[in-house]
Amino acid sequence: MKKLILASVSALALLGVAACSDSGTGGDATTTQSTNPPANEQPMQPAPDATKPAEPAPAQPSAPAQ
């Protein structure tokens, strides 16, 4: 019984070390810092007629039914 408890504790310790290990080969590329654009880029300007609403296309006459 003592061996079973010792094996369980050892397995849990091994899993804990493996979970906290930072030796992965994937290379986590995530960041927690701000991703602001570079200072030399200017923000986009709105189109000159941005305040004018879009107009629907003119209706096309359909062919008469026969």
Side-chain angles (χ1 to χ4, degrees):
M1 183 68 176
K2 197 173 188 180
K3 288 182 180 181
L4 181 63
I5 294 173
L6 182 62
S8 298
V9 169
S10 298
L12 286 174
L14 182 62
L15 287 175
V17 169
C20 295
S21 173
D22 207 18
S23 63
T25 59
D28 189 8
T30 59
T31 180
T32 57
Q33 296 179 353
S34 174
T35 56
N36 293 330
N40 60 357
E41 289 185 16
Q42 299 297 322
M44 290 183 60
Q45 300 296 325
D49 58 354
T51 58
K52 181 180 176 186
E55 296 179 13
Q60 298 292 330
S62 60
Q66 294 182 2

